Amino acid sequence: MDWNWQVIFDNIPELLNGAVLTVQLVVLSGVIGLFFGLVLAQLRLSKSWLVQILPFSYIFFFRGTPLLVQIFLIYYGLGQFEAVRNSFLWEPVLSQAYWCAIIAFTMNTSAYLAEIIRGAIQTIPVGELEAADAIGMSKWQKLTRITLPRAFGIVIPAYSNEVIFMLKGSALASTIALMDITGVARTISARTYTLMELFFAAGVIYLLLSWVILFSFRLFERRMNRHASYVPPDVITNTIP
């Protein structure tokens, strides 16, 4: 088999354009999914089973079914209902492959993030929450000053993994004719009959994006958890010979 490097170099601009769309899908769905995941996590922590049943069912469905099925249900399935086609959301949102992909990715990742955040909140030391109650913090103050900052510090490694999974899962956007990295590679390879070269180039771009994401989260984690590496001044003084 002859390896054609030239076809890779010639089509790098198109692949990079596809990378821009991939990043948009991951960033938008990641940010919106984080918000909904936080809300779902709070509902899952409710002591009332009536409050828990809806988020539990949502999480169970989106974690238990393939992302590809969810994309097809939203993109192809919703259009089967006349009420949806006649709604004000049809033309600007639900009839567009781009927004259907965003919705599918957001709903999928919010289900996973809800369980990640719930687990992080449950691992916060009880003493910290009791201390907040002891000094008279309101529930909102305790949530915004203690619970959420501590939970985000704990959740960062798992959240970075979820973002990587989203990046890889975004390749499924090409199944509904979106020209992301995979969509561009598949289109060009069908035209030039250089499948190996184009998907090799696509794989390299995915690897580079994964490295950027992991490096960014590593810096963010170091910033959020800087208290973990704090050394009291008296300890530093005692160690000086």
Side-chain angles (χ1 to χ4, degrees):
M1 182 186 73
D2 294 329
W3 187 269
N4 188 351
W5 287 103
Q6 190 60 42
V7 74
I8 296 177
F9 298 138
D10 290 344
N11 292 286
I12 286 249
E14 287 189 63
L15 289 169
L16 292 179
N17 286 335
V20 172
L21 178 58
T22 295
V23 171
Q24 288 178 0
L25 293 173
V26 173
V27 171
L28 282 176
S29 58
V31 172
I32 302 172
L34 180 61
F35 172 77
F36 283 110
L38 179 60
V39 174
L40 289 168
Q42 292 296 319
L43 294 175
R44 285 281 284 124
L45 290 169
S46 173
K47 296 180 180 179
S48 171
W49 68 270
L50 289 174
V51 176
Q52 289 189 33
I53 189 168
L54 183 59
F56 175 81
S57 301
Y58 176 95
I59 293 169
F60 180 76
F61 176 81
F62 282 99
R63 292 180 71 196
T65 56
L67 177 57
L68 181 61
V69 172
Q70 296 163 20
I71 293 173
F72 284 173
L73 285 175
I74 293 173
Y75 183 62
Y76 296 112
L78 292 179
Q80 305 298 315
F81 299 97
E82 186 176 352
V84 174
R85 294 196 303 271
N86 293 333
S87 69
F88 70 96
L89 289 175
W90 175 249
E91 281 297 329
V93 178
L94 297 178
S95 64
Q96 306 297 320
Y98 177 83
W99 290 111
C100 286
I102 292 289
I103 293 170
F105 293 155
T106 298
M107 298 179 79
N108 181 271
T109 194
S110 65
Y112 284 94
L113 289 175
E115 289 299 282
I116 293 173
I117 295 171
R118 181 175 70 90
I121 291 175
Q122 290 178 327
T123 60
I124 296 174
V126 178
E128 296 183 15
L129 301 177
E130 291 176 344
D133 293 331
I135 63 175
M137 280 190 179
S138 65
K139 289 184 177 180
W140 177 252
Q141 288 177 322
K142 185 167 68 172
L143 178 67
T144 56
R145 297 183 183 182
I146 305 295
T147 305
L148 292 185
R150 290 288 283 117
F152 280 124
I154 296 169
V155 86
I156 291 172
Y159 183 42
S160 65
N161 288 337
E162 174 59 22
V163 174
I164 295 296
F165 289 142
M166 287 171 54
L167 174 65
K168 294 186 290 186
S170 68
L172 295 174
S174 63
T175 61
I176 53 175
L178 283 177
M179 298 300 287
D180 65 333
I181 299 173
T182 303
V184 171
R186 187 166 61 180
T187 301
I188 298 174
S189 64
R191 186 175 68 237
T192 60
Y193 301 101
T194 52
L195 186 143
M196 291 291 293
E197 291 88 339
L198 267 300
F199 279 98
F200 169 79
V204 170
I205 294 174
Y206 278 115
L207 282 173
L208 291 174
L209 290 176
S210 297
W211 181 84
V212 171
I213 291 170
L214 290 174
F215 182 74
S216 301
F217 271 100
R218 182 65 59 86
L219 293 179
F220 183 59
E221 182 182 7
R222 189 177 301 172
R223 171 74 178 175
M224 286 292 295
N225 295 330
R226 58 189 181 276
H227 61 278
S229 58
Y230 172 74
V231 180
D234 57 335
V235 174
I236 299 175
T237 304
N238 294 335
T239 56
I240 299 177

Short mmCIF file of all heavy atoms in Angstrom, two decimals, residues 96-125:
data_model
loop_
_atom_site.label_atom_id
_atom_site.label_comp_id
_atom_site.label_asym_id
_atom_site.label_seq_id
_atom_site.Cartn_x
_atom_site.Cartn_y
_atom_site.Cartn_z
N GLN A 96 -32.62 21.70 12.75
CA GLN A 96 -31.21 21.89 12.42
C GLN A 96 -30.36 20.79 13.06
O GLN A 96 -30.43 20.57 14.27
CB GLN A 96 -30.71 23.26 12.91
CG GLN A 96 -31.55 24.43 12.42
CD GLN A 96 -31.53 24.58 10.92
OE1 GLN A 96 -30.48 24.40 10.29
NE2 GLN A 96 -32.67 24.90 10.33
N ALA A 97 -29.54 20.14 12.24
CA ALA A 97 -28.69 19.05 12.75
C ALA A 97 -27.74 19.55 13.83
O ALA A 97 -27.48 18.84 14.81
CB ALA A 97 -27.90 18.44 11.60
N TYR A 98 -27.24 20.76 13.67
CA TYR A 98 -26.28 21.31 14.64
C TYR A 98 -26.89 21.38 16.04
O TYR A 98 -26.30 20.90 17.02
CB TYR A 98 -25.83 22.70 14.18
CG TYR A 98 -24.89 23.41 15.13
CD1 TYR A 98 -23.53 23.15 15.11
CD2 TYR A 98 -25.38 24.35 16.03
CE1 TYR A 98 -22.67 23.81 15.97
CE2 TYR A 98 -24.53 25.01 16.90
CZ TYR A 98 -23.18 24.74 16.87
OH TYR A 98 -22.34 25.40 17.74
N TRP A 99 -28.09 21.96 16.13
CA TRP A 99 -28.71 22.13 17.44
C TRP A 99 -29.23 20.80 17.99
O TRP A 99 -29.23 20.60 19.21
CB TRP A 99 -29.82 23.16 17.37
CG TRP A 99 -29.30 24.54 17.16
CD1 TRP A 99 -29.42 25.32 16.05
CD2 TRP A 99 -28.50 25.30 18.10
NE1 TRP A 99 -28.77 26.51 16.23
CE2 TRP A 99 -28.20 26.54 17.47
CE3 TRP A 99 -28.05 25.05 19.38
CZ2 TRP A 99 -27.45 27.51 18.11
CZ3 TRP A 99 -27.29 26.02 20.02
CH2 TRP A 99 -27.00 27.25 19.38
N CYS A 100 -29.63 19.91 17.13
CA CYS A 100 -30.05 18.58 17.60
C CYS A 100 -28.86 17.84 18.21
O CYS A 100 -29.00 17.15 19.22
CB CYS A 100 -30.64 17.77 16.45
SG CYS A 100 -32.29 18.30 15.96
N ALA A 101 -27.68 18.00 17.61
CA ALA A 101 -26.48 17.38 18.17
C ALA A 101 -26.14 18.00 19.52
O ALA A 101 -25.80 17.29 20.48
CB ALA A 101 -25.30 17.54 17.21
N ILE A 102 -26.25 19.32 19.62
CA ILE A 102 -25.99 20.01 20.89
C ILE A 102 -26.95 19.50 21.97
O ILE A 102 -26.55 19.21 23.11
CB ILE A 102 -26.14 21.53 20.74
CG1 ILE A 102 -25.03 22.11 19.85
CG2 ILE A 102 -26.15 22.22 22.11
CD1 ILE A 102 -23.67 22.11 20.48
N ILE A 103 -28.22 19.38 21.62
CA ILE A 103 -29.22 18.90 22.59
C ILE A 103 -28.90 17.48 23.04
O ILE A 103 -28.93 17.17 24.24
CB ILE A 103 -30.63 18.97 21.98
CG1 ILE A 103 -31.04 20.43 21.76
CG2 ILE A 103 -31.65 18.27 22.88
CD1 ILE A 103 -32.31 20.61 20.95
N ALA A 104 -28.58 16.60 22.09
CA ALA A 104 -28.29 15.21 22.43
C ALA A 104 -27.05 15.11 23.31
O ALA A 104 -27.04 14.41 24.33
CB ALA A 104 -28.11 14.39 21.15
N PHE A 105 -25.98 15.82 22.94
CA PHE A 105 -24.75 15.78 23.73
C PHE A 105 -24.97 16.37 25.12
O PHE A 105 -24.45 15.86 26.12
CB PHE A 105 -23.63 16.54 23.03
CG PHE A 105 -23.18 15.90 21.74
CD1 PHE A 105 -22.58 16.65 20.74
CD2 PHE A 105 -23.36 14.55 21.51
CE1 PHE A 105 -22.16 16.07 19.56
CE2 PHE A 105 -22.96 13.95 20.34
CZ PHE A 105 -22.35 14.71 19.35
N THR A 106 -25.74 17.45 25.19
CA THR A 106 -26.00 18.10 26.47
C THR A 106 -26.77 17.17 27.40
O THR A 106 -26.42 17.02 28.58
CB THR A 106 -26.79 19.41 26.27
OG1 THR A 106 -26.01 20.32 25.49
CG2 THR A 106 -27.12 20.05 27.60
N MET A 107 -27.82 16.56 26.89
CA MET A 107 -28.63 15.69 27.73
C MET A 107 -27.85 14.46 28.16
O MET A 107 -27.99 13.99 29.30
CB MET A 107 -29.91 15.29 26.97
CG MET A 107 -30.80 16.46 26.62
SD MET A 107 -32.29 16.03 25.69
CE MET A 107 -33.33 15.42 26.99
N ASN A 108 -27.00 13.95 27.28
CA ASN A 108 -26.20 12.78 27.63
C ASN A 108 -25.17 13.11 28.70
O ASN A 108 -25.06 12.41 29.71
CB ASN A 108 -25.52 12.26 26.37
CG ASN A 108 -24.68 11.02 26.64
OD1 ASN A 108 -23.50 11.11 26.97
ND2 ASN A 108 -25.28 9.85 26.51
N THR A 109 -24.42 14.17 28.49
CA THR A 109 -23.36 14.48 29.44
C THR A 109 -23.91 14.98 30.77
O THR A 109 -23.31 14.75 31.82
CB THR A 109 -22.38 15.52 28.85
OG1 THR A 109 -21.20 15.57 29.66
CG2 THR A 109 -23.00 16.92 28.79
N SER A 110 -25.08 15.66 30.76
CA SER A 110 -25.66 16.13 32.02
C SER A 110 -26.04 14.96 32.92
O SER A 110 -25.95 15.06 34.15
CB SER A 110 -26.88 17.01 31.75
OG SER A 110 -27.92 16.27 31.14
N ALA A 111 -26.46 13.84 32.33
CA ALA A 111 -26.80 12.67 33.11
C ALA A 111 -25.56 12.11 33.82
O ALA A 111 -25.61 11.75 35.00
CB ALA A 111 -27.43 11.60 32.23
N TYR A 112 -24.45 12.03 33.09
CA TYR A 112 -23.21 11.53 33.70
C TYR A 112 -22.67 12.52 34.73
O TYR A 112 -22.22 12.12 35.81
CB TYR A 112 -22.16 11.29 32.61
CG TYR A 112 -22.39 10.03 31.82
CD1 TYR A 112 -23.09 10.06 30.61
CD2 TYR A 112 -21.93 8.80 32.27
CE1 TYR A 112 -23.31 8.91 29.88
CE2 TYR A 112 -22.15 7.64 31.54
CZ TYR A 112 -22.84 7.70 30.35
OH TYR A 112 -23.05 6.55 29.64
N LEU A 113 -22.72 13.81 34.39
CA LEU A 113 -22.20 14.82 35.32
C LEU A 113 -23.02 14.89 36.59
O LEU A 113 -22.48 15.17 37.67
CB LEU A 113 -22.16 16.18 34.63
CG LEU A 113 -21.11 16.36 33.55
CD1 LEU A 113 -21.25 17.72 32.87
CD2 LEU A 113 -19.71 16.22 34.14
N ALA A 114 -24.31 14.64 36.49
CA ALA A 114 -25.17 14.66 37.69
C ALA A 114 -24.69 13.64 38.72
O ALA A 114 -24.59 13.94 39.92
CB ALA A 114 -26.62 14.38 37.30
N GLU A 115 -24.36 12.45 38.27
CA GLU A 115 -23.88 11.42 39.18
C GLU A 115 -22.47 11.73 39.69
O GLU A 115 -22.15 11.45 40.85
CB GLU A 115 -23.90 10.05 38.49
CG GLU A 115 -25.30 9.51 38.26
CD GLU A 115 -26.05 9.32 39.57
OE1 GLU A 115 -25.79 8.32 40.26
OE2 GLU A 115 -26.88 10.19 39.90
N ILE A 116 -21.64 12.32 38.83
CA ILE A 116 -20.30 12.69 39.27
C ILE A 116 -20.36 13.77 40.34
O ILE A 116 -19.69 13.68 41.38
CB ILE A 116 -19.48 13.19 38.06
CG1 ILE A 116 -19.20 12.04 37.09
CG2 ILE A 116 -18.16 13.81 38.52
CD1 ILE A 116 -18.55 12.47 35.78
N ILE A 117 -21.20 14.79 40.11
CA ILE A 117 -21.33 15.88 41.08
C ILE A 117 -21.98 15.38 42.36
O ILE A 117 -21.57 15.76 43.47
CB ILE A 117 -22.13 17.04 40.47
CG1 ILE A 117 -21.36 17.65 39.30
CG2 ILE A 117 -22.41 18.12 41.52
CD1 ILE A 117 -22.16 18.66 38.49
N ARG A 118 -22.98 14.53 42.24
CA ARG A 118 -23.64 13.99 43.43
C ARG A 118 -22.63 13.23 44.30
O ARG A 118 -22.60 13.38 45.52
CB ARG A 118 -24.78 13.06 43.04
CG ARG A 118 -25.55 12.48 44.22
CD ARG A 118 -26.74 11.67 43.74
NE ARG A 118 -26.33 10.45 43.08
CZ ARG A 118 -26.15 9.27 43.71
NH1 ARG A 118 -26.33 9.20 45.03
NH2 ARG A 118 -25.80 8.20 43.05
N GLY A 119 -21.81 12.41 43.66
CA GLY A 119 -20.79 11.69 44.41
C GLY A 119 -19.79 12.61 45.07
O GLY A 119 -19.36 12.37 46.21
N ALA A 120 -19.42 13.70 44.37
CA ALA A 120 -18.47 14.65 44.94
C ALA A 120 -19.05 15.36 46.16
O ALA A 120 -18.37 15.55 47.17
CB ALA A 120 -18.06 15.67 43.88
N ILE A 121 -20.32 15.76 46.06
CA ILE A 121 -20.96 16.44 47.19
C ILE A 121 -21.04 15.51 48.40
O ILE A 121 -20.83 15.93 49.55
CB ILE A 121 -22.37 16.93 46.78
CG1 ILE A 121 -22.25 18.07 45.76
CG2 ILE A 121 -23.16 17.41 48.01
CD1 ILE A 121 -23.58 18.54 45.20
N GLN A 122 -21.31 14.25 48.16
CA GLN A 122 -21.44 13.30 49.26
C GLN A 122 -20.10 12.99 49.93
O GLN A 122 -20.08 12.45 51.03
CB GLN A 122 -22.10 12.02 48.77
CG GLN A 122 -23.57 12.19 48.42
CD GLN A 122 -24.21 10.92 47.89
OE1 GLN A 122 -23.55 10.12 47.24
NE2 GLN A 122 -25.50 10.74 48.18
N THR A 123 -19.00 13.28 49.25
CA THR A 123 -17.68 13.03 49.84
C THR A 123 -17.12 14.22 50.60
O THR A 123 -16.04 14.12 51.19
CB THR A 123 -16.66 12.61 48.76
OG1 THR A 123 -16.54 13.66 47.79
CG2 THR A 123 -17.11 11.33 48.05
N ILE A 124 -17.83 15.35 50.59
CA ILE A 124 -17.38 16.51 51.35
C ILE A 124 -17.42 16.16 52.84
O ILE A 124 -18.44 15.64 53.32
CB ILE A 124 -18.28 17.73 51.07
CG1 ILE A 124 -18.16 18.14 49.60
CG2 ILE A 124 -17.90 18.90 51.97
CD1 ILE A 124 -19.11 19.26 49.20
N PRO A 125 -16.34 16.39 53.59
CA PRO A 125 -16.34 16.07 55.02
C PRO A 125 -17.51 16.73 55.76
O PRO A 125 -17.77 17.93 55.57
CB PRO A 125 -15.00 16.64 55.51
CG PRO A 125 -14.13 16.63 54.28
CD PRO A 125 -15.05 16.92 53.13
#
